[in-house]
Amino acid sequence: MTTHTDLFLNYLHNYAAKDLQAISAMFAEDIHLRDWNISVHGKDEAIRETAKNFAEAESLEIHVLATYENVDTVAGELHIVVDGRVDLYVVDVVTFNAQGSITAIRSYKGRED
């Protein structure tokens, strides 16, 4: 059985690979995407914002430091390296619907220490 953590890790894998088609397939129509810069609702807007992130980065590495799962949500502590030189420490909180599609992604920027 596929867990929400499995789906979350698959999402991160697709994100690091900048595979917009695979990510789009994971998004629910009513997804809410929010981070420290933006808040958008709907699949088209979420895909547009994701595509902008991909265009701004030549390479993405995502290192999972820890994950936490409950009934429909996974939180992951992540170390993201953009273009081999920009280090981001982030907590992503991802919520899934009963079909396993992502209905919300909330990202919180942290610090290295």
Side-chain angles (χ1 to χ4, degrees):
M1 180 176 147
T2 302
T3 67
H4 289 128
T5 298
D6 294 332
L7 293 171
F8 175 73
L9 295 174
N10 188 44
Y11 163 74
L12 295 177
H13 171 78
N14 290 328
Y15 199 95
K18 298 180 9 173
D19 188 340
L20 193 59
Q21 184 175 8
I23 288 173
S24 177
M26 299 182 81
F27 285 176
E29 289 299 323
D30 61 345
I31 188 170
H32 179 199
L33 175 63
R34 181 180 72 208
D35 68 15
W36 51 94
N37 292 319
I38 56 103
S39 178
V40 297
H41 294 268
K43 187 171 184 173
D44 290 342
E45 289 299 314
I47 292 168
R48 191 173 356 269
E49 288 298 327
T50 302
K52 282 178 19 183
N53 285 345
F54 290 172
E56 292 172 0
E58 188 172 314
S59 67
L60 295 166
E61 296 174 43
I62 301 175
H63 307 279
V64 179
L65 305 176
T67 60
Y68 311 90
E69 181 174 352
N70 74 9
V71 175
D72 65 354
T73 302
V74 176
E77 293 181 74
L78 311 174
H79 173 214
I80 301 172
V81 181
V82 181
D83 296 336
R85 66 185 192 300
V86 178
D87 286 305
L88 297 171
Y89 287 85
V90 174
V91 173
D92 276 0
V93 180
V94 178
T95 302
F96 299 89
N97 63 20
Q99 294 75 38
S101 296
I102 298 172
T103 59
I105 302 171
R106 292 150 334 261
S107 296
Y108 304 93
K109 194 168 159 183
R111 297 176 10 173
E112 180 177 355
D113 56 354

Short mmCIF file of all heavy atoms in Angstrom, two decimals, residues 69-99:
data_model
loop_
_atom_site.label_atom_id
_atom_site.label_comp_id
_atom_site.label_asym_id
_atom_site.label_seq_id
_atom_site.Cartn_x
_atom_site.Cartn_y
_atom_site.Cartn_z
N GLU A 69 4.00 12.07 9.48
CA GLU A 69 2.75 11.79 8.78
C GLU A 69 1.62 11.62 9.77
O GLU A 69 1.79 11.05 10.84
CB GLU A 69 2.91 10.50 7.95
CG GLU A 69 1.66 10.13 7.18
CD GLU A 69 1.86 8.94 6.26
OE1 GLU A 69 3.01 8.48 6.08
OE2 GLU A 69 0.85 8.47 5.72
N ASN A 70 0.42 12.14 9.39
CA ASN A 70 -0.80 11.82 10.10
C ASN A 70 -1.82 11.31 9.09
O ASN A 70 -1.44 10.86 8.01
CB ASN A 70 -1.31 13.00 10.96
CG ASN A 70 -1.92 14.12 10.15
OD1 ASN A 70 -2.14 13.99 8.94
ND2 ASN A 70 -2.20 15.23 10.79
N VAL A 71 -3.07 11.39 9.37
CA VAL A 71 -4.10 10.77 8.54
C VAL A 71 -4.05 11.21 7.08
O VAL A 71 -4.09 10.39 6.18
CB VAL A 71 -5.50 11.02 9.14
CG1 VAL A 71 -6.59 10.49 8.23
CG2 VAL A 71 -5.59 10.41 10.52
N ASP A 72 -3.98 12.51 6.82
CA ASP A 72 -4.02 12.99 5.44
C ASP A 72 -2.92 13.99 5.09
O ASP A 72 -2.93 14.59 4.02
CB ASP A 72 -5.38 13.61 5.12
CG ASP A 72 -5.67 14.87 5.93
OD1 ASP A 72 -4.87 15.22 6.82
OD2 ASP A 72 -6.70 15.51 5.67
N THR A 73 -1.95 14.17 5.98
CA THR A 73 -0.93 15.20 5.79
C THR A 73 0.46 14.66 6.11
O THR A 73 0.62 13.86 7.04
CB THR A 73 -1.23 16.41 6.71
OG1 THR A 73 -2.54 16.90 6.39
CG2 THR A 73 -0.23 17.53 6.51
N VAL A 74 1.43 15.12 5.36
CA VAL A 74 2.84 14.81 5.61
C VAL A 74 3.59 16.14 5.73
O VAL A 74 3.38 17.05 4.93
CB VAL A 74 3.45 13.97 4.47
CG1 VAL A 74 4.95 13.75 4.71
CG2 VAL A 74 2.74 12.64 4.33
N ALA A 75 4.42 16.23 6.74
CA ALA A 75 5.33 17.37 6.87
C ALA A 75 6.74 16.84 6.66
O ALA A 75 7.09 15.76 7.15
CB ALA A 75 5.20 18.01 8.25
N GLY A 76 7.52 17.58 5.93
CA GLY A 76 8.89 17.17 5.68
C GLY A 76 9.86 18.31 5.92
O GLY A 76 9.64 19.42 5.43
N GLU A 77 10.90 18.02 6.69
CA GLU A 77 12.00 18.96 6.85
C GLU A 77 12.96 18.72 5.70
O GLU A 77 13.44 17.60 5.51
CB GLU A 77 12.72 18.73 8.17
CG GLU A 77 11.90 19.03 9.39
CD GLU A 77 12.71 18.78 10.65
OE1 GLU A 77 13.61 19.60 10.95
OE2 GLU A 77 12.46 17.76 11.30
N LEU A 78 13.24 19.78 4.95
CA LEU A 78 14.01 19.63 3.72
C LEU A 78 15.19 20.59 3.69
O LEU A 78 15.11 21.71 4.18
CB LEU A 78 13.12 19.93 2.51
CG LEU A 78 11.77 19.23 2.44
CD1 LEU A 78 10.97 19.76 1.27
CD2 LEU A 78 11.95 17.73 2.37
N HIS A 79 16.27 20.12 3.08
CA HIS A 79 17.40 20.99 2.73
C HIS A 79 17.41 21.01 1.21
O HIS A 79 17.63 19.98 0.57
CB HIS A 79 18.70 20.44 3.30
CG HIS A 79 19.91 21.18 2.83
ND1 HIS A 79 21.11 20.56 2.62
CD2 HIS A 79 20.12 22.50 2.54
CE1 HIS A 79 22.00 21.44 2.22
NE2 HIS A 79 21.42 22.62 2.17
N ILE A 80 17.18 22.17 0.65
CA ILE A 80 17.11 22.33 -0.81
C ILE A 80 18.32 23.15 -1.26
O ILE A 80 18.63 24.19 -0.69
CB ILE A 80 15.81 23.03 -1.22
CG1 ILE A 80 14.60 22.21 -0.74
CG2 ILE A 80 15.76 23.22 -2.74
CD1 ILE A 80 13.27 22.91 -0.92
N VAL A 81 18.99 22.64 -2.29
CA VAL A 81 20.14 23.35 -2.86
C VAL A 81 19.75 23.74 -4.29
O VAL A 81 19.44 22.88 -5.11
CB VAL A 81 21.41 22.47 -2.86
CG1 VAL A 81 22.59 23.25 -3.44
CG2 VAL A 81 21.71 21.96 -1.46
N VAL A 82 19.76 25.04 -4.54
CA VAL A 82 19.40 25.57 -5.85
C VAL A 82 20.68 25.98 -6.57
O VAL A 82 21.49 26.75 -6.03
CB VAL A 82 18.46 26.79 -5.71
CG1 VAL A 82 18.07 27.33 -7.08
CG2 VAL A 82 17.24 26.43 -4.88
N ASP A 83 20.86 25.44 -7.75
CA ASP A 83 22.01 25.76 -8.60
C ASP A 83 23.35 25.53 -7.91
O ASP A 83 24.33 26.22 -8.19
CB ASP A 83 21.92 27.20 -9.12
CG ASP A 83 20.72 27.42 -10.04
OD1 ASP A 83 20.23 26.43 -10.62
OD2 ASP A 83 20.26 28.57 -10.16
N GLY A 84 23.40 24.60 -6.99
CA GLY A 84 24.64 24.24 -6.32
C GLY A 84 25.19 25.28 -5.37
O GLY A 84 26.26 25.11 -4.81
N ARG A 85 24.43 26.38 -5.17
CA ARG A 85 24.99 27.45 -4.34
C ARG A 85 24.02 28.09 -3.36
O ARG A 85 24.43 28.78 -2.44
CB ARG A 85 25.64 28.52 -5.22
CG ARG A 85 24.69 29.29 -6.08
CD ARG A 85 25.43 30.26 -7.02
NE ARG A 85 24.60 31.22 -7.68
CZ ARG A 85 23.60 30.98 -8.50
NH1 ARG A 85 23.23 29.75 -8.74
NH2 ARG A 85 22.93 31.96 -9.08
N VAL A 86 22.73 27.92 -3.54
CA VAL A 86 21.75 28.54 -2.65
C VAL A 86 21.16 27.44 -1.76
O VAL A 86 20.54 26.50 -2.25
CB VAL A 86 20.62 29.23 -3.45
CG1 VAL A 86 19.59 29.82 -2.50
CG2 VAL A 86 21.19 30.30 -4.36
N ASP A 87 21.40 27.56 -0.46
CA ASP A 87 20.88 26.60 0.51
C ASP A 87 19.60 27.14 1.13
O ASP A 87 19.58 28.25 1.66
CB ASP A 87 21.89 26.37 1.65
CG ASP A 87 23.07 25.54 1.21
OD1 ASP A 87 22.85 24.43 0.70
OD2 ASP A 87 24.21 26.00 1.39
N LEU A 88 18.56 26.33 1.07
CA LEU A 88 17.29 26.66 1.71
C LEU A 88 16.93 25.54 2.67
O LEU A 88 17.04 24.36 2.33
CB LEU A 88 16.17 26.80 0.68
CG LEU A 88 16.28 27.89 -0.35
CD1 LEU A 88 15.19 27.73 -1.41
CD2 LEU A 88 16.17 29.25 0.31
N TYR A 89 16.51 25.91 3.85
CA TYR A 89 15.97 24.95 4.80
C TYR A 89 14.47 25.25 4.89
O TYR A 89 14.08 26.38 5.18
CB TYR A 89 16.67 25.05 6.15
CG TYR A 89 18.06 24.49 6.07
CD1 TYR A 89 19.12 25.27 5.64
CD2 TYR A 89 18.29 23.15 6.36
CE1 TYR A 89 20.40 24.75 5.52
CE2 TYR A 89 19.56 22.61 6.25
CZ TYR A 89 20.61 23.42 5.82
OH TYR A 89 21.87 22.88 5.70
N VAL A 90 13.67 24.24 4.58
CA VAL A 90 12.25 24.43 4.40
C VAL A 90 11.49 23.31 5.10
O VAL A 90 11.98 22.17 5.16
CB VAL A 90 11.91 24.41 2.88
CG1 VAL A 90 10.43 24.46 2.63
CG2 VAL A 90 12.62 25.54 2.16
N VAL A 91 10.31 23.63 5.59
CA VAL A 91 9.35 22.61 6.01
C VAL A 91 8.18 22.70 5.05
O VAL A 91 7.56 23.75 4.90
CB VAL A 91 8.87 22.82 7.46
CG1 VAL A 91 7.76 21.83 7.80
CG2 VAL A 91 10.03 22.65 8.44
N ASP A 92 7.92 21.61 4.35
CA ASP A 92 6.75 21.50 3.48
C ASP A 92 5.69 20.70 4.22
O ASP A 92 5.99 19.62 4.76
CB ASP A 92 7.09 20.80 2.17
CG ASP A 92 7.67 21.72 1.12
OD1 ASP A 92 7.82 22.92 1.38
OD2 ASP A 92 7.98 21.21 0.02
N VAL A 93 4.47 21.21 4.21
CA VAL A 93 3.33 20.50 4.78
C VAL A 93 2.37 20.24 3.62
O VAL A 93 1.85 21.18 3.02
CB VAL A 93 2.65 21.33 5.89
CG1 VAL A 93 1.46 20.57 6.47
CG2 VAL A 93 3.65 21.70 6.97
N VAL A 94 2.18 18.96 3.30
CA VAL A 94 1.41 18.57 2.11
C VAL A 94 0.21 17.75 2.55
O VAL A 94 0.35 16.76 3.28
CB VAL A 94 2.29 17.77 1.13
CG1 VAL A 94 1.49 17.33 -0.09
CG2 VAL A 94 3.51 18.59 0.71
N THR A 95 -0.97 18.17 2.08
CA THR A 95 -2.22 17.48 2.41
C THR A 95 -2.76 16.78 1.17
O THR A 95 -2.69 17.32 0.06
CB THR A 95 -3.26 18.48 2.96
OG1 THR A 95 -2.70 19.13 4.10
CG2 THR A 95 -4.55 17.80 3.36
N PHE A 96 -3.30 15.58 1.39
CA PHE A 96 -3.82 14.74 0.31
C PHE A 96 -5.31 14.50 0.49
O PHE A 96 -5.81 14.44 1.62
CB PHE A 96 -3.10 13.38 0.32
CG PHE A 96 -1.62 13.48 0.09
CD1 PHE A 96 -0.75 13.66 1.16
CD2 PHE A 96 -1.09 13.41 -1.19
CE1 PHE A 96 0.62 13.75 0.96
CE2 PHE A 96 0.28 13.51 -1.39
CZ PHE A 96 1.14 13.68 -0.32
N ASN A 97 -6.01 14.31 -0.62
CA ASN A 97 -7.42 13.92 -0.54
C ASN A 97 -7.52 12.39 -0.54
O ASN A 97 -6.49 11.68 -0.59
CB ASN A 97 -8.25 14.56 -1.66
CG ASN A 97 -7.82 14.13 -3.06
OD1 ASN A 97 -7.17 13.11 -3.27
ND2 ASN A 97 -8.20 14.93 -4.05
N ALA A 98 -8.73 11.86 -0.52
CA ALA A 98 -8.94 10.41 -0.44
C ALA A 98 -8.41 9.68 -1.67
O ALA A 98 -8.09 8.49 -1.60
CB ALA A 98 -10.43 10.12 -0.25
N GLN A 99 -8.29 10.38 -2.79
CA GLN A 99 -7.76 9.77 -4.02
C GLN A 99 -6.23 9.82 -4.09
O GLN A 99 -5.64 9.31 -5.03
CB GLN A 99 -8.35 10.46 -5.25
CG GLN A 99 -9.85 10.26 -5.43
CD GLN A 99 -10.68 11.09 -4.46
OE1 GLN A 99 -10.33 12.23 -4.16
NE2 GLN A 99 -11.75 10.51 -3.96
#
